Amino acid sequence: AVLPNGTRRDVTDLALFEPSNLLATVANDGTATLSDPGEVTVTVRYLEHQVPVRLALVPDRPGFTWSGPEPA
């Protein structure tokens, strides 16, 4: 957090983490763990501020090779 006097402070331990579904759990230190592949939004709240954070866990695809367009 940036306080009114310009100083910065880590407020992770004071923030509230609210996952949008049961796919994720969030520890008090802000570390999110997804139980299965999928997407979840974690809303982080501190005082009157809130920020949504979107997370996705993509399953492993052995043998996958990217075949997109060549870089320009």
Side-chain angles (χ1 to χ4, degrees), residues 12-58:
T12 303
D13 59 333
L14 301 173
L16 177 65
F17 302 91
E18 298 177 326
S20 61
N21 58 47
L22 298 177
L23 181 65
T25 58
V26 185
N28 291 340
D29 68 355
T31 303
T33 303
L34 277 68
S35 58
D36 291 305
E39 295 183 26
V40 63
T41 299
V42 176
T43 302
V44 182
R45 300 177 193 277
Y46 174 70
L47 298 176
E48 73 277 4
H49 305 285
Q50 63 182 19
V51 176
V53 179
R54 294 182 60 195
L55 304 173
L57 177 62
V58 179

